[in-house]
Amino acid sequence: MLVLIPHKDTANILCNISKKILLEFNSRKKLSVFPVFPLWASLEKQPADPSLMTVYDYKIKEDKLVFPVEVVDRDDVLRTEIVFGKINDPEAGVKISVPEIKDKFPVFSRVFKTGDAVFEDNSWKLYDEKWFKGRN
């Protein structure tokens, strides 16, 4: 599976934001949402010449919490999402306002990598990693 992996600084920002969102959900009803790792996004195709990755405020999609992601690739825009939470309780499937993250989005990043991810032996393995540094 082809995946997009944010740069460690971007991943750290998203991890901190996701913790606050999960905390808010779980403070209302105990263990209604579980964290999901790694904070990667699947891609349909390899970007050719990407210039910018943008991560938007979270959404609820089916039984998951996701950050929508757009990658500007020449004249094309690749859309995907980073899953960061799994909803355990159907009643928790309504978006909650989290004041602490109000001004955090969108998150822009010019540096990220892609790779072929395989899940085996209860761990992720990444092959054929390729770093991208977007142009200004």
Side-chain angles (χ1 to χ4, degrees), residues 87-105:
I87 299 172
N88 186 41
D89 182 354
E91 293 177 15
V94 177
K95 186 172 178 175
I96 295 174
S97 175
V98 183
E100 298 170 46
I101 66 164
K102 181 175 71 169
D103 300 330
K104 304 288 185 188
F105 290 101

Side-chain angles (χ1 to χ4, degrees), residues 100-119:
E100 298 170 46
I101 66 164
K102 181 175 71 169
D103 300 330
K104 304 288 185 188
F105 290 101
V107 175
F108 299 103
S109 179
R110 295 194 180 282
V111 180
F112 57 90
K113 67 181 173 178
T114 62
D116 290 317
V118 177
F119 186 74

